[in-house]
Amino acid sequence: MAHIAQFTAAEAAFVLREPVRTVKKSLDLGPVRPVLVRRAGAPVRAIEWRDLFYLYAVRALRDELTPKARSEFYEALHQTPVELRDEVRFGRFRVSVRDLVQEVERRTSDLAALAEKVEFRADGEPLLKGTQVEVYRIAALLDGGASIEQVLEDYPSLSREHVETAKAYAEAYPKAGRPYPRTSVKRALQGAGLEALDDA
């Protein structure tokens, strides 16, 4: 399977299950070589699948590779397509990578599947598929401290999977521009003691 996709730091963080700031630091430190790509009209750093695989592999092998060996491993990955072999050889090392490749492929498939759970309004705003509810609105509520159960109370048409999708999508594809409020109108009214207005 050829890997030609490029991944932003946020997408890589989703695959690696790490905070975006940790991934950005890895891109700053090297040896990974990010390139600038345009996403949503703005230039962002992105890495190829091989670089993403390297970041995953060095975390899995952190106790076995010295800093020098990591650099050699990176260069070896860029000389022969890793997906075409079971191991990577460099210096006196042979590293079995089949299980690591399979795991990164599984995780990048999860990222692709996430995109399938979202559809877009005419203005480009992502909506939870089959609803008219904005992905980033739900993610903002979770960021504001609401539990999944509280979100489901405020949006009874949504399922738990919808809410989890919103959270994951917003992490992998952060919202540009003005954020959504971190509390729902219903909870804001309750907090102000104006519950009766909500029923009016």
Side-chain angles (χ1 to χ4, degrees):
M1 175 180 179
H3 300 285
I4 56 172
Q6 293 176 315
F7 301 86
T8 64
E11 292 167 333
F14 176 90
V15 172
L16 298 172
R17 314 288 197 258
E18 292 189 357
V20 176
R21 67 181 176 277
T22 302
V23 173
K24 286 182 176 179
K25 185 176 179 182
S26 295
L27 300 187
D28 292 339
L29 296 175
V32 170
R33 303 173 192 124
V35 296
L36 280 180
V37 298
R38 292 193 78 75
R39 294 282 180 95
V44 295
R45 290 189 301 173
I47 57 175
E48 295 181 356
W49 190 93
R50 253 186 256 193
D51 296 318
L52 179 65
F53 174 77
Y54 167 81
L55 292 175
Y56 177 77
V58 294
R59 284 153 174 76
L61 302 167
R62 77 177 76 226
D63 296 332
E64 300 169 43
L65 297 177
T66 65
K68 182 182 177 196
R70 289 177 190 172
S71 294
E72 292 173 350
F73 179 54
Y74 181 78
E75 294 305 325
L77 286 177
H78 276 263
Q79 290 178 19
T80 303
V82 66
E83 63 270 20
L84 298 181
R85 28 164 151 174
D86 294 335
E87 66 180 17
V88 175
R89 298 180 186 187
F90 55 98
R92 293 181 291 174
F93 292 95
R94 289 184 179 189
V95 179
S96 175
V97 295
R98 177 180 284 278
D99 59 328
L100 301 177
V101 168
Q102 289 172 344
E103 180 60 18
V104 175
E105 286 179 338
R106 186 185 67 75
R107 292 184 182 196
T108 54
S109 293
D110 289 347
L111 182 65
L114 183 63
E116 294 295 317
K117 297 177 181 179
V118 169
E119 55 195 11
F120 293 88
R121 211 164 50 197
D123 63 1
E125 183 71 21
L127 306 173
L128 291 162
K129 200 166 199 173
T131 78
Q132 290 300 309
V133 180
E134 298 94 342
V135 168
Y136 296 121
R137 181 178 303 280
I138 299 306
L141 297 179
L142 295 170
D143 285 346
S147 67
I148 291 178
E149 288 70 26
Q150 288 171 325
V151 173
L152 292 175
E153 282 177 27
D154 291 351
Y155 292 86
S157 64
L158 299 183
S159 67
R160 177 173 286 270
E161 183 183 0
H162 281 130
V163 178
E164 290 170 349
T165 294
K167 181 178 189 314
Y169 187 91
E171 288 173 356
Y173 304 99
K175 178 171 174 39
R178 190 173 177 182
Y180 277 97
R182 293 166 60 107
T183 187
S184 68
V185 172
K186 181 177 180 180
R187 294 199 184 274
L189 291 173
Q190 288 172 345
L194 302 173
E195 297 92 331
L197 293 178
D198 194 34
D199 297 327

